[in-house]
Amino acid sequence: MKTLPIGSNEVVSLPAYNVISITGGAGSIERLGNNPGDPSSGTITTFTADATVGPFPVWTRHMLRCIPSSQVSYDIAPADFPAVDSAFERARVMSQAEYDALTPDPATLYLIVG
């Protein structure tokens, strides 16, 4: 696990199908363009405790920031996908933000777009 000092920031590269697990502290994470110099996607998520970002189907870059009075630790690991079989009852297409806001149902196949 890597630790960001109080009030610092760091660009984090996230391999495809991996997640960033953030623990402790408070701050924000911003989705950057996939290549250095590309514009930011404009997606900024704030957190005040533990948070998870990802997975994405492609390599992505993120700016992780901690507030001036906080220290943040993070780790990058492969996403823990549940086993998928043919027993799902429905499919649903949604954005990453919509998916993050719900409690997944194991009988539903979620397709995240955007």
Side-chain angles (χ1 to χ4, degrees):
M1 187 159 280
K2 186 166 182 176
T3 302
L4 286 179
I6 293 172
S8 66
N9 59 57
E10 183 173 330
V11 174
V12 178
S13 293
L14 183 63
Y17 304 110
N18 279 246
V19 295
I20 301 171
S21 299
I22 303 166
T23 56
S28 66
I29 188 160
E30 176 182 4
R31 171 91 186 264
L32 301 174
N34 291 344
N35 300 303
D38 285 352
S40 166
S41 72
T43 305
I44 299 175
T45 304
T46 59
F47 55 89
T48 56
D50 300 347
T52 302
V53 176
F56 298 95
V58 296
W59 191 284
T60 57
R61 295 172 57 246
H62 305 266
M63 175 64 77
L64 180 59
R65 297 179 182 94
C66 47
I67 63 172
S69 62
S70 181
Q71 179 174 307
V72 171
S73 296
Y74 72 92
D75 197 15
I76 296 174
D80 184 20
F81 291 107
V84 176
D85 59 25
S86 60
F88 67 87
E89 299 169 5
R90 62 194 155 276
R92 184 163 173 209
V93 177
M94 60 180 45
S95 70
Q96 181 70 48
E98 290 170 322
Y99 180 79
D100 292 343
L102 63 79
T103 303
D105 173 9
T108 302
L109 173 64
Y110 297 95
L111 304 173
I112 300 170
V113 296

